[in-house]
Amino acid sequence: MTTRALEAARNGAAAAPATGHARMKRRAGRWALRGLAGLVFFFIFIPVIFVLWISLFQQQIVSFPPEGYTLRWYENAFARSEFRHGFGLSLQVAFIAMVIGVTSGAAGAYAIVRFRFPGREAFNTLLLGPLVVPGIVAGTSLYVYYIMVENLLDVDFRGTLHGLVLGHILLTIPWTVRLVSASLVGLDRAVEEAAMNLGAGPWTTFRRITLPMMRPGLVAASLFSFIQSFENLELTLLLVGPGRTTLPVAMLNYLEFRIDPTIAAVASVQIVLIGALMLITDRFVKLSRIV
Amino acid sequence: MATAATTAARPAGRRAEAFSLGPFLLVPASLLVVAFLAAPLVVLFRYSFNRYSPREFMIDAFTLENYARFFTDAYFIGVLATTVQVAAVCTLVSLLFAYPLAYLMARTESRWKSALVIAVVFPLMVGNVVRAAGWMAVLGNEGIVNHLMLSLGIVSQPVRLMYTPFAVYVGIIAVVLPYMILTLQSVIEGIGRDVEEAAANLGAGPMTTFRRVLLPLSLPGVIAGGTLVFILCMNAYATPVLLGGPQFKMMAPALYDQFTRTTNWPFGAALAFILMTSTLVLTIVGTTVLSRRMHHRKLEAAPR
């Protein structure tokens, strides 16, 4: 409240020497700035809005204006096995990759932030490495690597659940290390010291003090890991197999031929799922403070 | 420093135990990254020196002919040139578009601020394929843009917007804008409001304040955002494939084709490393030029 009043006073003071003409010009400039910002905001939302809108169109061939509205394309999308199975597989892969990636990544972040040992920086770089390698390069290298390992060991990797999960863990580790490290760095150690002084052992201190304080970082890491895996296309493209396709790959294959309300319905399901996850997470952890 | 002090204050026994066990927490994550990122990259790099034979597929060799082929083949040079051009243009345009919104988001005291941040993050999270689908509905012959232009009488025939470079530019800019906005916003937030007010009180107009104060101070954000966005553009896959059509080739789709259509692994592997190296070199060059300019300006300003 006071800051805002102060702000207004300051702005007033700054604007006071300006003549009426200059003030008008400044005000016009401010509105132009706002208008431009609004347009940019609208621009990044256009694709999302249109996907949601055309998924409800009556007619099968997308044209404007709509002839009416219906929900039958959602039924149609669900009836297509590639989308139903793709959705299921994507959920499965994203969940398992999230659990493994967040657990191992959080442990790594804990070691990097809390301990001093030679090569600490190198380990940090290594764990953030998957962010630097382009998805398509990581995907093709995993593809040739899986074929090599398959020939050596006689175990299938391409087109299997474990093959996909092992690849997708790469997407989750760097996000986890970044978000959990950030939350650990800002953590007040005095609280842990206090617990120890009050007689808590290292394990109790970790479980009752450190872990709850790491919670925001862990929740955010889980959310971003899950989404990164769920929506991934590039890394996944070559690792899927016949009958085992993730949702984004199934959508890409369909979109290479046509855009219609059915695929828009599939995309809308993804939009709603991710939006819901973000909103639910935001209830527990303020996302705007993390990203 | 504070950490060192607190560690030293701890009982010796516990400290020794923590030191011996702590770093081992890194083992699972590191093993995963080494086994499923580093090792595959090493294998791919080795393959890039192999020889391709249509009959025998891949022959173990140690040759540079795949790299040589790239730099002597006009088609692939063209693909790299297109990629760099798209990346450069999209980086610049997104910088121009992102700045006003980032500035307002950094300066606003509205209670909707966190909602705004989440709203910018959201399109980024729904995935490139979904957004490409949206642009297909907007830009197609029957899309909303053509519908509006036809009904307003601006054109009499639908204009071809899909499967053109224009569609790719639009799609990629929309994909990378949120990254640019968030990076710039966090840097502008760190610049005190008082600096701008001081400039205004000393008689600088908004444009002068922007050019002489805000822009130089936010240059680190411009560099960070520009680097991130440039890398993302160089590696774009879904957007050029879906919005550019088969005629429009960028590096990532071309590389993918080598593994699926022509199954020329050695050449595809070489493409992967050419893509990564050119991205790295261009990013370093761009960053150096910009930060030197920043440094130069500081020196220029100092004696006054």
Side-chain angles (χ1 to χ4, degrees), chain B residues 134-202:
Chain B
W135 287 116
M136 288 169 88
V138 171
L139 300 173
N141 279 352
E142 308 257 338
I144 188 80
V145 173
N146 268 313
H147 168 70
L148 286 178
M149 289 201 298
L150 283 170
S151 50
L152 290 173
I154 300 171
V155 291
S156 54
Q157 286 273 315
V159 182
R160 198 182 139 96
L161 297 169
M162 265 302 288
Y163 308 122
T164 62
F166 172 76
V168 178
Y169 281 107
V170 168
I172 293 184
I173 290 168
V175 165
V176 297
L177 263 172
Y179 291 101
M180 190 68 103
I181 294 168
L182 295 171
T183 315
L184 287 176
Q185 185 218 347
S186 68
V187 173
I188 298 174
E189 255 170 16
I191 303 171
R193 220 179 260 251
D194 42 353
V195 190
E196 277 176 73
E197 276 156 22
N201 286 341
L202 291 171

Side-chain angles (χ1 to χ4, degrees), chain A residues 4 10 40 45 47 62-64 115-117 123 134 145 147 170 196 224 227 231 237 255 270 274 282 288, chain B residues 14 18-19 22 26 30 35-36 97 109 114 118-119 125-127 131 134 136 142 144 147 197 235 237 265:
Chain A
R4 191 165 287 184
R10 243 194 273 167
V40 170
F45 260 92
V62 177
S63 62
F64 294 90
F115 300 99
R116 297 287 170 273
F117 51 92
F123 275 107
Y145 182 68
I147 292 178
L170 293 177
M196 297 261 210
F224 286 110
I227 293 176
E231 57 118 356
L237 268 174
L255 280 169
Q270 182 166 333
I274 287 171
D282 193 57
S288 54
Chain B
R14 197 173 287 152
F19 263 83
L26 272 163
S30 306
F36 295 97
F97 281 176
E109 279 171 5
S114 59
I118 292 175
M125 289 292 149
V126 299
R131 282 184 288 175
M136 288 169 88
E142 308 257 338
I144 188 80
H147 168 70
E197 276 156 22
N235 303 325
Y237 179 82
W265 285 14

Side-chain angles (χ1 to χ4, degrees), chain A residues 230-279:
Chain A
F230 190 87
E231 57 118 356
N232 182 271
L233 175 77
E234 284 90 344
L235 184 87
T236 321
L237 268 174
L238 285 167
L239 307 183
V240 296
R244 266 199 183 274
T245 302
T246 62
L247 191 63
V249 178
M251 288 202 293
L252 181 87
N253 291 340
Y254 191 94
L255 280 169
E256 282 193 280
F257 296 100
R258 61 195 167 280
I259 167 87
D260 63 16
T262 306
I263 188 74
V266 180
S268 301
V269 171
Q270 182 166 333
I271 292 174
V272 170
L273 172 79
I274 287 171
L277 284 178
M278 284 180 69
L279 285 180

Side-chain angles (χ1 to χ4, degrees), chain B residues 58-299:
Chain B
M58 190 165 70
I59 303 164
D60 273 334
F62 204 83
T63 168
L64 286 170
E65 66 184 28
N66 299 303
Y67 292 94
R69 181 184 156 199
F70 180 89
F71 289 105
T72 49
D73 190 328
Y75 173 75
F76 285 105
I77 293 288
V79 172
L80 181 62
T82 310
T83 311
V84 173
Q85 190 191 339
V86 169
V89 171
C90 291
T91 306
L92 277 178
V93 174
S94 66
L95 185 61
L96 286 177
F97 281 176
Y99 209 105
L101 183 55
Y103 176 77
L104 287 183
M105 280 172 63
R107 288 293 185 247
T108 183
E109 279 171 5
S110 149
R111 62 204 177 90
W112 295 104
K113 182 174 175 167
S114 59
L116 265 174
V117 174
I118 292 175
V120 170
V121 179
F122 176 60
L124 190 149
M125 289 292 149
V126 299
N128 296 348
V129 184
V130 169
R131 282 184 288 175
W135 287 116
M136 288 169 88
V138 171
L139 300 173
N141 279 352
E142 308 257 338
I144 188 80
V145 173
N146 268 313
H147 168 70
L148 286 178
M149 289 201 298
L150 283 170
S151 50
L152 290 173
I154 300 171
V155 291
S156 54
Q157 286 273 315
V159 182
R160 198 182 139 96
L161 297 169
M162 265 302 288
Y163 308 122
T164 62
F166 172 76
V168 178
Y169 281 107
V170 168
I172 293 184
I173 290 168
V175 165
V176 297
L177 263 172
Y179 291 101
M180 190 68 103
I181 294 168
L182 295 171
T183 315
L184 287 176
Q185 185 218 347
S186 68
V187 173
I188 298 174
E189 255 170 16
I191 303 171
R193 220 179 260 251
D194 42 353
V195 190
E196 277 176 73
E197 276 156 22
N201 286 341
L202 291 171
M207 273 323 280
T208 319
T209 312
F210 172 72
R211 207 166 44 81
R212 302 280 302 269
V213 178
L214 199 58
L215 189 60
L217 283 174
S218 61
L219 211 53
V222 171
I223 292 174
T227 308
L228 175 64
V229 162
F230 184 78
I231 294 173
L232 288 169
C233 296
M234 286 290 287
N235 303 325
Y237 179 82
T239 318
V241 164
L242 289 175
L243 302 181
Q247 298 302 319
F248 189 84
K249 271 281 174 280
M250 284 177 66
M251 282 296 274
L255 152 62
Y256 178 71
D257 283 352
Q258 289 301 318
F259 284 89
T260 51
R261 296 218 177 113
T262 31
T263 60
N264 186 342
W265 285 14
F267 188 61
L271 280 184
F273 287 95
I274 291 167
L275 172 63
M276 287 204 289
T277 315
S278 47
T279 309
L280 185 70
V281 169
L282 288 169
T283 326
I284 291 172
V285 169
T287 315
T288 327
V289 168
L290 271 176
S291 41
R292 189 164 296 167
R293 181 162 297 173
M294 179 162 70
H295 187 62
H296 189 68
R297 202 170 276 178
K298 258 185 211 150
L299 288 181

